[in-house]
Amino acid sequence: MTPDPLNAVFAALADPTRRAILARLTEGDANVVELTTPFRVSQPAISRHLRVLERAGLISRNRRATARFSHLEAKPLGEATAYLARYREYWDESYERLDALLSALKEERPADPKATDPEATDASATDHHAPDRKGAHDGDDQRHG
Amino acid sequence: MTPDPLNAVFAALADPTRRAILARLTEGDANVVELTTPFRVSQPAISRHLRVLERAGLISRNRRATARFSHLEAKPLGEATAYLARYREYWDESYERLDALLSALKEERPADPKATDPEATDASATDHHAPDRKGAHDGDDQRHG
DNA sequence: TCGGTCCATAACGTAGAGGTTATGAATGAC
DNA sequence: GTCATTCATAACCTCTACGTTATGGACCGA
């Protein structure tokens, strides 16, 4: 039933107006009029953006008189960040490769002990653009369907 | 002219098939056939997913004989993470507030040590609808759906 | 040269996103 | 009670996303 919360969170974040709304909400809760004013789109459009954000769990809302205030709920952002953190080693990879390269160069010259860390030379680095792994892994691919 | 790279990156991440493709690519580069097999969608569908990922800068591709291998380019993921990091204080906030609340309770009745585990009592529960950042409003009237 | 494999693209359908204007319900102020 | 404000919703349009099947180009092996 729940297809995957990340779908809704990332989709919500894909729209610049919604990101701007979230940024605005870091300065404090705001009602629809306050959120509509700076964005030169119509009020119903903002209302729909808010509904998208609410369904993604990124905001909560409560009444106050005739107004309805939106409040930033950042936990899904934390979950999205946690998801992305899985890839950190891959965008650090270039630095690691630079490290490996420098280490290799240093090996030709004498010494430097810290260059011998086996974890530093990640497999993915050598693997770069040299696939040749034809069906090596078992069918562990995740389908979120 | 470039509307904002985050648009494309988050939009690309919003699709579970594309996220699965990225996950697969952490195990090594793959051609279209290898990427199509596990996902029970047609090959043209995968080709389009790959184009979306490529436009978002999340993969690069190179030929190898008749095949075309995709390679994970994680830097945009790092940029997306950097963007989300701006909100870290807001999802940490709940823990901070929970801490503050528990501290306050402890001062009243010095006892009950097991209540201090932040993992045990879900933080979002306390955080929910307790704005007080600026708008200083209360009243819990929320609607979902 | 010929057949097979890999892949992109075209053509098409459906569904949803994002925008608009018009309108009405809910609530506070007078 | 009456009016003004706030907001959601309906009705509508356009554009894009995502999927399909059909097809053809590019390239390798024999």
Short mmCIF file of all heavy atoms in Angstrom, two decimals, chain C residues 8-23:
data_model
loop_
_atom_site.label_atom_id
_atom_site.label_comp_id
_atom_site.label_asym_id
_atom_site.label_seq_id
_atom_site.Cartn_x
_atom_site.Cartn_y
_atom_site.Cartn_z
P DA C 8 20.43 3.23 -25.46
OP1 DA C 8 21.34 4.23 -24.87
OP2 DA C 8 19.37 2.62 -24.64
"O5'" DA C 8 19.77 3.87 -26.75
"C5'" DA C 8 20.59 4.20 -27.86
"C4'" DA C 8 19.75 4.79 -28.98
"O4'" DA C 8 18.97 3.75 -29.60
"C3'" DA C 8 18.78 5.88 -28.55
"O3'" DA C 8 18.79 6.92 -29.52
"C2'" DA C 8 17.44 5.15 -28.49
"C1'" DA C 8 17.59 4.06 -29.54
N9 DA C 8 16.87 2.82 -29.23
C8 DA C 8 16.91 2.14 -28.05
N7 DA C 8 16.18 1.04 -28.05
C5 DA C 8 15.64 1.00 -29.32
C6 DA C 8 14.77 0.08 -29.96
N6 DA C 8 14.29 -1.01 -29.36
N1 DA C 8 14.42 0.35 -31.24
C2 DA C 8 14.90 1.45 -31.83
N3 DA C 8 15.72 2.38 -31.33
C4 DA C 8 16.05 2.09 -30.07
P DT C 9 18.05 8.28 -29.25
OP1 DT C 9 18.88 9.34 -29.81
OP2 DT C 9 17.61 8.30 -27.83
"O5'" DT C 9 16.73 8.12 -30.15
"C5'" DT C 9 16.87 7.65 -31.48
"C4'" DT C 9 15.52 7.30 -32.05
"O4'" DT C 9 15.10 6.00 -31.57
"C3'" DT C 9 14.39 8.27 -31.68
"O3'" DT C 9 13.86 8.80 -32.88
"C2'" DT C 9 13.37 7.40 -30.93
"C1'" DT C 9 13.70 6.01 -31.45
N1 DT C 9 13.35 4.89 -30.54
C2 DT C 9 12.56 3.86 -31.01
O2 DT C 9 12.13 3.83 -32.15
N3 DT C 9 12.30 2.88 -30.10
C4 DT C 9 12.73 2.80 -28.79
O4 DT C 9 12.43 1.86 -28.07
C5 DT C 9 13.56 3.91 -28.36
C7 DT C 9 14.08 3.93 -26.96
C6 DT C 9 13.82 4.88 -29.24
P DA C 10 12.83 10.02 -32.78
OP1 DA C 10 13.37 11.07 -33.67
OP2 DA C 10 12.51 10.33 -31.38
"O5'" DA C 10 11.55 9.38 -33.47
"C5'" DA C 10 11.73 8.46 -34.55
"C4'" DA C 10 10.43 7.70 -34.80
"O4'" DA C 10 10.34 6.58 -33.88
"C3'" DA C 10 9.16 8.52 -34.61
"O3'" DA C 10 8.24 8.18 -35.63
"C2'" DA C 10 8.66 8.08 -33.24
"C1'" DA C 10 9.09 6.63 -33.21
N9 DA C 10 9.29 6.05 -31.89
C8 DA C 10 10.04 6.56 -30.87
N7 DA C 10 10.05 5.82 -29.78
C5 DA C 10 9.24 4.74 -30.11
C6 DA C 10 8.84 3.59 -29.38
N6 DA C 10 9.24 3.35 -28.14
N1 DA C 10 8.03 2.72 -30.01
C2 DA C 10 7.64 2.98 -31.27
N3 DA C 10 7.96 4.02 -32.05
C4 DA C 10 8.77 4.87 -31.40
P DA C 11 6.99 9.12 -35.85
OP1 DA C 11 6.79 9.15 -37.33
OP2 DA C 11 7.13 10.37 -35.09
"O5'" DA C 11 5.80 8.28 -35.21
"C5'" DA C 11 5.66 6.91 -35.55
"C4'" DA C 11 4.51 6.31 -34.75
"O4'" DA C 11 5.02 5.82 -33.49
"C3'" DA C 11 3.39 7.30 -34.41
"O3'" DA C 11 2.14 6.68 -34.61
"C2'" DA C 11 3.64 7.63 -32.94
"C1'" DA C 11 4.20 6.31 -32.44
N9 DA C 11 5.03 6.41 -31.25
C8 DA C 11 5.88 7.44 -30.91
N7 DA C 11 6.51 7.27 -29.77
C5 DA C 11 6.04 6.04 -29.33
C6 DA C 11 6.32 5.29 -28.17
N6 DA C 11 7.17 5.69 -27.22
N1 DA C 11 5.67 4.12 -28.02
C2 DA C 11 4.82 3.72 -28.98
N3 DA C 11 4.48 4.35 -30.11
C4 DA C 11 5.13 5.51 -30.22
P DC C 12 0.80 7.54 -34.50
OP1 DC C 12 -0.10 7.01 -35.53
OP2 DC C 12 1.13 8.97 -34.40
"O5'" DC C 12 0.25 7.08 -33.06
"C5'" DC C 12 0.09 5.70 -32.80
"C4'" DC C 12 -0.09 5.47 -31.33
"O4'" DC C 12 1.14 5.69 -30.65
"C3'" DC C 12 -1.09 6.41 -30.64
"O3'" DC C 12 -2.33 5.75 -30.45
"C2'" DC C 12 -0.43 6.75 -29.31
"C1'" DC C 12 0.81 5.86 -29.29
N1 DC C 12 1.94 6.49 -28.56
C2 DC C 12 2.40 5.88 -27.40
O2 DC C 12 1.86 4.86 -27.01
N3 DC C 12 3.42 6.46 -26.72
C4 DC C 12 3.98 7.59 -27.18
N4 DC C 12 4.97 8.10 -26.48
C5 DC C 12 3.52 8.21 -28.36
C6 DC C 12 2.51 7.64 -29.02
P DG C 13 -3.56 6.53 -29.76
OP1 DG C 13 -4.80 5.98 -30.34
OP2 DG C 13 -3.30 7.99 -29.80
"O5'" DG C 13 -3.47 6.06 -28.24
"C5'" DG C 13 -3.37 4.67 -27.93
"C4'" DG C 13 -3.36 4.49 -26.43
"O4'" DG C 13 -2.05 4.83 -25.91
"C3'" DG C 13 -4.36 5.37 -25.68
"O3'" DG C 13 -5.05 4.60 -24.70
"C2'" DG C 13 -3.51 6.46 -25.06
"C1'" DG C 13 -2.16 5.78 -24.88
N9 DG C 13 -1.05 6.71 -24.99
C8 DG C 13 -0.85 7.62 -26.00
N7 DG C 13 0.25 8.32 -25.85
C5 DG C 13 0.80 7.85 -24.67
C6 DG C 13 1.98 8.24 -24.00
O6 DG C 13 2.79 9.10 -24.32
N1 DG C 13 2.17 7.51 -22.83
C2 DG C 13 1.33 6.52 -22.38
N2 DG C 13 1.67 5.93 -21.24
N3 DG C 13 0.22 6.15 -23.00
C4 DG C 13 0.01 6.86 -24.13
P DT C 14 -6.22 5.26 -23.83
OP1 DT C 14 -7.25 4.22 -23.68
OP2 DT C 14 -6.55 6.57 -24.40
"O5'" DT C 14 -5.54 5.49 -22.41
"C5'" DT C 14 -4.80 4.42 -21.84
"C4'" DT C 14 -4.13 4.91 -20.57
"O4'" DT C 14 -2.99 5.73 -20.91
"C3'" DT C 14 -5.03 5.76 -19.67
"O3'" DT C 14 -4.92 5.27 -18.35
"C2'" DT C 14 -4.47 7.17 -19.83
"C1'" DT C 14 -3.01 6.90 -20.12
N1 DT C 14 -2.30 7.94 -20.89
C2 DT C 14 -1.07 8.38 -20.44
O2 DT C 14 -0.53 7.95 -19.45
N3 DT C 14 -0.49 9.35 -21.23
C4 DT C 14 -1.01 9.90 -22.37
O4 DT C 14 -0.40 10.76 -23.00
C5 DT C 14 -2.30 9.39 -22.78
C7 DT C 14 -2.95 9.93 -24.02
C6 DT C 14 -2.87 8.45 -22.03
P DA C 15 -5.88 5.79 -17.21
OP1 DA C 15 -6.33 4.62 -16.45
OP2 DA C 15 -6.85 6.74 -17.79
"O5'" DA C 15 -4.87 6.62 -16.30
"C5'" DA C 15 -3.58 6.04 -16.03
"C4'" DA C 15 -2.69 7.09 -15.43
"O4'" DA C 15 -2.16 7.95 -16.46
"C3'" DA C 15 -3.39 8.00 -14.42
"O3'" DA C 15 -2.58 8.11 -13.27
"C2'" DA C 15 -3.54 9.33 -15.17
"C1'" DA C 15 -2.31 9.30 -16.06
N9 DA C 15 -2.41 10.10 -17.27
C8 DA C 15 -3.46 10.15 -18.15
N7 DA C 15 -3.27 10.97 -19.16
C5 DA C 15 -2.01 11.49 -18.93
C6 DA C 15 -1.23 12.42 -19.64
N6 DA C 15 -1.62 13.00 -20.76
N1 DA C 15 0.01 12.71 -19.13
C2 DA C 15 0.39 12.12 -18.00
N3 DA C 15 -0.26 11.23 -17.24
C4 DA C 15 -1.46 10.96 -17.78
P DG C 16 -3.19 8.68 -11.92
OP1 DG C 16 -2.88 7.69 -10.89
OP2 DG C 16 -4.57 9.15 -12.15
"O5'" DG C 16 -2.27 9.95 -11.68
"C5'" DG C 16 -0.86 9.78 -11.80
"C4'" DG C 16 -0.22 11.11 -12.10
"O4'" DG C 16 -0.57 11.56 -13.42
"C3'" DG C 16 -0.64 12.24 -11.16
"O3'" DG C 16 0.55 12.85 -10.67
"C2'" DG C 16 -1.44 13.20 -12.04
"C1'" DG C 16 -0.77 12.96 -13.38
N9 DG C 16 -1.54 13.34 -14.55
C8 DG C 16 -2.81 12.97 -14.87
N7 DG C 16 -3.23 13.48 -16.00
C5 DG C 16 -2.16 14.24 -16.45
C6 DG C 16 -2.01 15.02 -17.62
O6 DG C 16 -2.83 15.21 -18.53
N1 DG C 16 -0.76 15.62 -17.70
C2 DG C 16 0.23 15.47 -16.76
N2 DG C 16 1.38 16.11 -16.98
N3 DG C 16 0.12 14.73 -15.66
C4 DG C 16 -1.10 14.16 -15.57
P DA C 17 0.49 13.81 -9.39
OP1 DA C 17 1.23 13.19 -8.29
OP2 DA C 17 -0.91 14.26 -9.21
"O5'" DA C 17 1.35 15.04 -9.91
"C5'" DA C 17 2.53 14.78 -10.65
"C4'" DA C 17 2.95 16.04 -11.37
"O4'" DA C 17 2.12 16.23 -12.54
"C3'" DA C 17 2.81 17.30 -10.54
"O3'" DA C 17 3.92 18.13 -10.75
"C2'" DA C 17 1.52 17.94 -11.06
"C1'" DA C 17 1.54 17.52 -12.52
N9 DA C 17 0.22 17.39 -13.13
C8 DA C 17 -0.85 16.69 -12.65
N7 DA C 17 -1.91 16.75 -13.42
C5 DA C 17 -1.51 17.55 -14.48
C6 DA C 17 -2.17 17.99 -15.64
N6 DA C 17 -3.44 17.68 -15.92
N1 DA C 17 -1.48 18.76 -16.49
C2 DA C 17 -0.20 19.07 -16.20
N3 DA C 17 0.52 18.72 -15.15
C4 DA C 17 -0.20 17.95 -14.32
P DG C 18 4.27 19.22 -9.69
OP1 DG C 18 5.74 19.34 -9.67
OP2 DG C 18 3.52 18.96 -8.46
"O5'" DG C 18 3.68 20.56 -10.33
"C5'" DG C 18 4.25 21.04 -11.52
"C4'" DG C 18 3.34 22.08 -12.11
"O4'" DG C 18 2.17 21.44 -12.63
"C3'" DG C 18 2.84 23.12 -11.10
"O3'" DG C 18 3.28 24.41 -11.48
"C2'" DG C 18 1.32 23.01 -11.16
"C1'" DG C 18 1.10 22.32 -12.47
N9 DG C 18 -0.15 21.57 -12.54
C8 DG C 18 -0.64 20.68 -11.61
N7 DG C 18 -1.80 20.18 -11.93
C5 DG C 18 -2.09 20.77 -13.14
C6 DG C 18 -3.22 20.61 -13.98
O6 DG C 18 -4.22 19.90 -13.81
N1 DG C 18 -3.13 21.39 -15.13
C2 DG C 18 -2.07 22.22 -15.43
N2 DG C 18 -2.14 22.90 -16.57
N3 DG C 18 -1.01 22.38 -14.66
C4 DG C 18 -1.09 21.62 -13.53
P DG C 19 3.08 25.61 -10.48
OP1 DG C 19 4.30 26.44 -10.53
OP2 DG C 19 2.60 25.10 -9.18
"O5'" DG C 19 1.87 26.42 -11.17
"C5'" DG C 19 2.14 27.12 -12.36
"C4'" DG C 19 0.88 27.32 -13.17
"O4'" DG C 19 0.25 26.07 -13.46
"C3'" DG C 19 -0.24 28.11 -12.48
"O3'" DG C 19 0.02 29.50 -12.52
"C2'" DG C 19 -1.42 27.75 -13.35
"C1'" DG C 19 -1.09 26.33 -13.82
N9 DG C 19 -1.97 25.33 -13.20
C8 DG C 19 -1.71 24.58 -12.07
N7 DG C 19 -2.69 23.76 -11.77
C5 DG C 19 -3.64 23.99 -12.74
C6 DG C 19 -4.91 23.39 -12.94
O6 DG C 19 -5.47 22.52 -12.26
N1 DG C 19 -5.56 23.91 -14.05
C2 DG C 19 -5.04 24.88 -14.88
N2 DG C 19 -5.80 25.27 -15.91
N3 DG C 19 -3.86 25.44 -14.72
C4 DG C 19 -3.21 24.95 -13.63
P DT C 20 -0.90 30.49 -11.66
OP1 DT C 20 -0.27 31.82 -11.71
OP2 DT C 20 -1.17 29.85 -10.36
"O5'" DT C 20 -2.27 30.52 -12.47
"C5'" DT C 20 -2.28 31.00 -13.83
"C4'" DT C 20 -3.64 30.76 -14.44
"O4'" DT C 20 -3.93 29.34 -14.38
"C3'" DT C 20 -4.80 31.43 -13.72
"O3'" DT C 20 -5.02 32.71 -14.26
"C2'" DT C 20 -5.97 30.50 -14.02
"C1'" DT C 20 -5.33 29.14 -14.29
N1 DT C 20 -5.58 28.14 -13.21
C2 DT C 20 -6.72 27.39 -13.26
O2 DT C 20 -7.56 27.50 -14.14
N3 DT C 20 -6.87 26.49 -12.24
C4 DT C 20 -6.00 26.27 -11.19
O4 DT C 20 -6.23 25.44 -10.32
C5 DT C 20 -4.82 27.11 -11.20
C7 DT C 20 -3.80 26.96 -10.11
C6 DT C 20 -4.67 27.98 -12.20
P DT C 21 -5.85 33.76 -13.41
OP1 DT C 21 -5.75 35.06 -14.12
OP2 DT C 21 -5.46 33.65 -12.00
"O5'" DT C 21 -7.35 33.23 -13.54
"C5'" DT C 21 -8.00 33.25 -14.80
"C4'" DT C 21 -9.42 32.71 -14.67
"O4'" DT C 21 -9.39 31.39 -14.08
"C3'" DT C 21 -10.34 33.55 -13.76
"O3'" DT C 21 -11.62 33.67 -14.36
"C2'" DT C 21 -10.39 32.76 -12.47
"C1'" DT C 21 -10.24 31.33 -12.97
N1 DT C 21 -9.61 30.42 -11.97
C2 DT C 21 -10.27 29.28 -11.58
O2 DT C 21 -11.37 28.96 -12.00
N3 DT C 21 -9.61 28.52 -10.66
C4 DT C 21 -8.36 28.77 -10.10
O4 DT C 21 -7.86 28.01 -9.29
C5 DT C 21 -7.73 29.98 -10.57
C7 DT C 21 -6.38 30.35 -10.05
C6 DT C 21 -8.37 30.75 -11.47
P DA C 22 -12.71 34.59 -13.68
OP1 DA C 22 -13.50 35.16 -14.78
OP2 DA C 22 -12.07 35.48 -12.69
"O5'" DA C 22 -13.60 33.52 -12.91
"C5'" DA C 22 -14.02 32.35 -13.60
"C4'" DA C 22 -14.96 31.53 -12.71
"O4'" DA C 22 -14.18 30.69 -11.84
"C3'" DA C 22 -15.88 32.35 -11.80
"O3'" DA C 22 -17.16 31.73 -11.75
"C2'" DA C 22 -15.16 32.33 -10.46
"C1'" DA C 22 -14.52 30.94 -10.49
N9 DA C 22 -13.30 30.82 -9.70
C8 DA C 22 -12.25 31.70 -9.64
N7 DA C 22 -11.28 31.32 -8.85
C5 DA C 22 -11.71 30.09 -8.36
C6 DA C 22 -11.13 29.18 -7.46
N6 DA C 22 -9.94 29.35 -6.90
N1 DA C 22 -11.83 28.06 -7.18
C2 DA C 22 -13.02 27.88 -7.75
N3 DA C 22 -13.68 28.68 -8.61
C4 DA C 22 -12.95 29.77 -8.87
P DT C 23 -18.36 32.43 -10.94
OP1 DT C 23 -19.59 32.08 -11.68
OP2 DT C 23 -18.03 33.83 -10.64
"O5'" DT C 23 -18.37 31.61 -9.58
"C5'" DT C 23 -18.36 30.18 -9.66
"C4'" DT C 23 -18.19 29.58 -8.27
"O4'" DT C 23 -16.80 29.66 -7.86
"C3'" DT C 23 -18.99 30.26 -7.15
"O3'" DT C 23 -19.76 29.28 -6.49
"C2'" DT C 23 -17.92 30.85 -6.24
"C1'" DT C 23 -16.78 29.87 -6.48
N1 DT C 23 -15.43 30.36 -6.09
C2 DT C 23 -14.64 29.56 -5.30
O2 DT C 23 -14.99 28.46 -4.91
N3 DT C 23 -13.42 30.09 -5.00
C4 DT C 23 -12.91 31.31 -5.40
O4 DT C 23 -11.80 31.68 -5.06
C5 DT C 23 -13.80 32.10 -6.23
C7 DT C 23 -13.36 33.45 -6.71
C6 DT C 23 -15.00 31.59 -6.54
#
